[in-house]
Amino acid sequence: MRTFRLAFTGDYLDEKGQPAYGDHGYVQLAQAPYVEYDFLRDQAPRAGDAAYWQRLYSMEVTPGQIRGLDGLVVLRPAVRRPAIAAAAERLVVIGRSGAGYEKIDAAACTEHDVLLFNAPRGLDHATASTALMFMLVLAKRLAEQQEITRRAQWQRQAEVTGSEIQGRTLGIIGLGHSGRELVRLVAPFEMRVLAYSPHADPAQALALGVQLTTLDELLRESDFVSLHARLTDSVRRLIGAPQLAMMKPTAYLINIARGAMIDQAALVAALRERRIAGAALDVFEVEPLPAGDPLLGLDNVVITPHWSASTSDVWATTGKATAEGVLRVARGEPPANVVNPAVLERSGFQAKLARFAENQAVARPARAE
């Protein structure tokens, strides 16, 4: 049996040094006698360290933290080339607990014979249902209705009359898994659905009842625009002042993808001047959203802390998928959802992976005759 040393990034822990979000595959891992796991505890929050939450999304894994590891599971911190290079002699796999991996240097992983995998499917429904929730909250003007109720201003009912999403036009940017799931969820509302997704299969879109179109046409015609694309250089700041100017003054913008896809200053201006009706944002250009950010003072925006899709159900699903991926590597087998498949053909990676093949006998002991 060959021991597989694994670490989770420290942001999985709470201020007491305990798992903050419940079981994230830890039970599965504990049942494998060839896996030893811990956390990068010097990355964990400390009681009284209020600044920790301001640097939460800017943390990076350091070379010293991962030397001597066979595997690493990442929640929020970045994993850059220097850390990957420093750990390359032993490190064989990095697992991203979720879909996005833009903060992990995939090219450096391949160059240093490290496999990178993610758990993309666990968030499909949760992301789509969050988009639908935001559509309904915006259309019904829930935030404003709640405000007048809390202030006992019932005389203002007429000012916050909402609308229905029934029969409206939905524009989806990125017709991937979560985008297609949103199409399924809105079917009972009989919406017209447009999509801007350059790599989408036209036959698949047709079967879904989705009209593929240009970004400009989508922006001009949609009552709701929902972003579902993966962050790449081609979609960075995809929605700026010119694009916002194309939208209807009655339209709403929803972003549960990545904050960098929107020029946030341009969006603030459009919201403040009521050039669009409103927005719902779970992600931002800078995270956490700084105190005093102008978005916080607007009454036509719904904001959540990059966590709306991270339900307890999703946490369990992605944890299971991530643990299964790690366990496969710890048995000398490639996992599902490999981000950098070119690494599979590299002799250096194959040699590192082969070191753990002996654990297959431990995982699946021979039956007695």
Side-chain angles (χ1 to χ4, degrees), residues 307-352:
W307 204 248
S308 287
S310 299
T311 63
S312 57
D313 305 276
V314 166
W315 192 255
T317 300
T318 55
K320 180 179 179 181
T322 304
E324 287 176 350
V326 168
L327 288 171
R328 286 185 64 86
V329 175
R331 297 192 302 264
E333 304 165 355
N337 302 309
V338 177
V339 170
N340 57 337
V343 78
L344 297 171
E345 306 302 320
R346 292 176 62 91
S347 59
F349 168 75
Q350 292 171 357
K352 285 198 282 188

Side-chain angles (χ1 to χ4, degrees), residues 127-128 130-132 134-135 170-175 178-179 182 194 196 218-219 222-229 247 252-257 261 280:
T127 300
T130 298
L132 176 57
F134 280 153
M135 289 167 61
L170 166 62
I172 299 175
I173 296 177
L175 196 62
S178 70
L182 180 57
L194 307 177
Y196 170 67
L218 181 149
L219 293 169
S222 296
D223 298 298
F224 299 89
V225 176
S226 189
L227 276 62
H228 293 258
M247 294 177 64
Y252 297 98
L253 179 64
I254 295 164
N255 189 8
I256 47 173
M261 293 177 63

Side-chain angles (χ1 to χ4, degrees), residues 90-334:
R90 181 163 177 173
L91 189 67
V92 62
V93 66
I94 297 175
R96 166 70 179 98
S97 180
Y101 53 86
E102 65 274 5
K103 291 167 70 175
I104 302 173
D105 192 328
C109 284
T110 302
E111 181 182 331
H112 293 286
D113 301 316
V114 177
L115 182 145
L116 172 62
F117 78 93
N118 64 348
R121 301 304 304 275
L123 283 160
D124 293 348
H125 176 78
T127 300
S129 65
T130 298
L132 176 57
M133 174 191 73
F134 280 153
M135 289 167 61
L136 290 166
V137 165
L138 290 167
K140 299 287 189 178
R141 299 180 69 176
L142 179 61
E144 295 157 282
Q145 294 214 24
Q146 180 175 247
E147 183 66 13
I148 69 167
T149 307
R150 290 183 183 278
R151 293 179 179 271
Q153 296 174 339
W154 289 54
Q155 72 277 10
R156 296 179 55 203
Q157 287 175 334
E159 298 176 26
V160 293
T161 302
S163 59
E164 299 297 333
I165 70 172
Q166 185 89 10
R168 299 298 202 272
T169 298
L170 166 62
I172 299 175
I173 296 177
L175 196 62
H177 293 298
S178 70
R180 294 195 298 271
E181 177 66 0
L182 180 57
V183 175
R184 186 184 74 83
L185 293 181
V186 302
F189 296 96
E190 301 175 329
M191 302 186 80
R192 176 191 180 210
V193 183
L194 307 177
Y196 170 67
S197 191
H199 302 295
D201 180 351
Q204 186 180 56
L206 181 63
L208 290 169
V210 175
Q211 178 186 339
L212 294 177
T213 186
T214 64
L215 178 61
D216 289 1
E217 182 181 6
L218 181 149
L219 293 169
R220 290 190 181 104
E221 299 195 17
S222 296
D223 298 298
F224 299 89
V225 176
S226 189
L227 276 62
H228 293 258
R230 184 171 66 84
L231 181 62
T232 63
D233 288 340
S234 64
V235 299
R236 195 175 295 274
R237 291 209 163 189
L238 181 71
I239 306 297
Q243 291 73 34
L244 291 164
M246 296 179 192
M247 294 177 64
K248 301 176 183 180
T250 55
Y252 297 98
L253 179 64
I254 295 164
N255 189 8
I256 47 173
R258 287 293 185 266
M261 293 177 63
I262 296 176
D263 181 338
Q264 197 162 297
L267 176 59
V268 167
L271 290 167
R272 183 178 284 147
E273 298 165 16
R274 307 285 172 170
R275 286 186 273 115
I276 63 172
L281 309 170
D282 187 54
V283 290
F284 309 92
E285 283 189 322
V286 176
E287 295 178 346
L289 192 65
D293 189 281
L295 281 172
L296 297 170
L298 300 176
D299 63 2
N300 55 348
V301 60
V302 175
I303 50 179
T304 55
H306 199 154
W307 204 248
S308 287
S310 299
T311 63
S312 57
D313 305 276
V314 166
W315 192 255
T317 300
T318 55
K320 180 179 179 181
T322 304
E324 287 176 350
V326 168
L327 288 171
R328 286 185 64 86
V329 175
R331 297 192 302 264
E333 304 165 355

